[in-house]
Amino acid sequence: HSELVVIGAGPGGYAAAFRAADLGKQVILIDKNAELGGVCLNHGCIPSKALLHIAKVIEDAKALKKSGVTFGEPKLDLDIIRSWKESVVDKLNKGIYQLAKARNVQVIQGTASFVSPTQILVKNNRGRQSITFNNSIIATGSRSSSIPGISINHPRIINSTGALQLPEIPKRLLIIGGGYIGLEMGSVWLRFGTEVHVVEFLDHIIPGMDREISKEFMKILKKQGMKFHLQTKLESI
């Protein structure tokens, strides 16, 4: 039994668990993965920002040419880059575990399902565990949306997680959808030397963003070499 059970150890879940523990609650934090931090830390924000840092340094070095400073063509070793990116993630992962331990938050790995409004069942490779609680917070996060009729079970058709793990720098990359995640990964590979095309059904990128900012952002990406196909519908792959 626990006063509070938090399902999902991403930025929403672990932050809620730590806050509740700071307020004196007995807390159990559950996640299906061995690593805490959710998609953001392990497959999204943090690894992509690590790659964006490298990409920005490359772009900054090129920009200095106007100021009279010229560097040679960058040589990229993807294996070393990937290892460094994973070390950044690993360091932050360990930090979350330490914060949980310091607050006496019990961490359980497994998949949780509700038996009743006050009881869950957690399944993992060691078996099943029943937990009762007074309150529960569901923070299971998001997952990549799919396009009807298109399967990503192919080495050339990938989602955002796959874009972080490409074994080599592709010559050409097609981004389906002009949202911020696709453009973020596209800008990384663009600076690594890939020709990047973006297909967007609407007449602008980043739906939901202020239209003026969206317009200026597209100008910047175009100047860097990204190619856009707006008001364009994907029909088949």
Side-chain angles (χ1 to χ4, degrees):
H1 179 82
S2 181
E3 289 182 273
L4 175 67
V5 166
V6 181
I7 303 172
Y14 75 71
F18 295 168
R19 177 63 176 156
D22 289 343
L23 293 172
K25 294 290 183 181
Q26 179 194 11
V27 183
I28 292 177
L29 178 61
I30 302 168
D31 197 280
K32 63 180 180 180
N33 298 310
E35 306 84 10
L36 300 182
V39 170
C40 179
L41 173 52
N42 297 290
H43 311 292
C45 316
I46 301 303
S48 62
K49 297 301 182 291
L51 293 180
L52 277 170
H53 169 69
I54 295 173
K56 184 180 185 300
V57 170
I58 292 172
E59 193 68 23
D60 288 345
K62 288 180 180 178
L64 280 174
K65 189 176 181 180
K66 296 177 182 177
S67 305
V69 180
T70 305
F71 294 92
E73 198 65 27
K75 294 179 181 179
L76 302 176
D77 188 321
L78 277 189
D79 289 334
I80 295 175
I81 290 173
R82 195 177 295 111
S83 178
W84 172 75
K85 175 199 72 177
E86 288 168 1
S87 73
V88 172
V89 172
D90 184 60
K91 184 178 180 181
L92 292 172
N93 253 314
K94 289 175 180 175
I96 295 175
Y97 269 106
Q98 288 170 354
L99 290 170
K101 188 177 180 180
R103 289 170 165 81
N104 293 317
V105 172
Q106 184 182 352
V107 178
I108 298 175
Q109 181 190 354
T111 302
S113 57
F114 283 88
V115 177
S116 76
T118 58
Q119 184 182 4
I120 58 170
L121 190 66
V122 181
K123 297 179 184 178
N124 54 36
N125 56 14
R126 296 183 300 278
R128 301 182 178 191
Q129 183 176 3
S130 178
I131 300 171
T132 57
F133 55 84
N134 297 343
N135 291 287
S136 168
I137 293 175
I138 303 171
T140 49
S142 62
R143 59 186 173 191
S144 298
S145 60
S146 59
I147 299 173
I150 294 173
S151 171
I152 63 168
N153 294 321
H154 191 283
R156 291 184 182 272
I157 304 174
I158 56 177
N159 57 19
S160 56
T161 300
L164 288 164
Q165 300 168 343
L166 288 174
E168 57 187 26
I169 299 172
K171 290 183 179 178
R172 303 179 81 211
L173 184 66
L174 175 66
I175 308 290
I176 301 169
Y180 72 92
I181 294 176
L183 294 178
E184 183 174 65
M185 292 314 307
S187 66
V188 167
W189 292 107
L190 178 73
R191 291 168 182 173
F192 284 3
T194 300
E195 180 184 333
V196 178
H197 291 254
V198 178
V199 169
E200 170 55 52
F201 183 71
L202 300 176
D203 63 352
H204 62 285
I205 61 172
I206 317 288
M209 180 183 279
D210 179 272
R211 190 64 69 93
E212 196 64 30
I213 295 175
S214 169
K215 187 178 176 182
E216 291 302 316
F217 184 35
M218 194 168 83
K219 281 183 185 178
I220 293 168
L221 292 174
K222 274 186 173 181
K223 193 174 180 181
Q224 291 176 3
M226 195 174 286
K227 297 174 174 62
F228 291 91
H229 310 272
L230 302 180
Q231 293 181 288
T232 303
K233 181 183 178 183
L234 176 79
E235 293 193 339
S236 64
I237 291 182

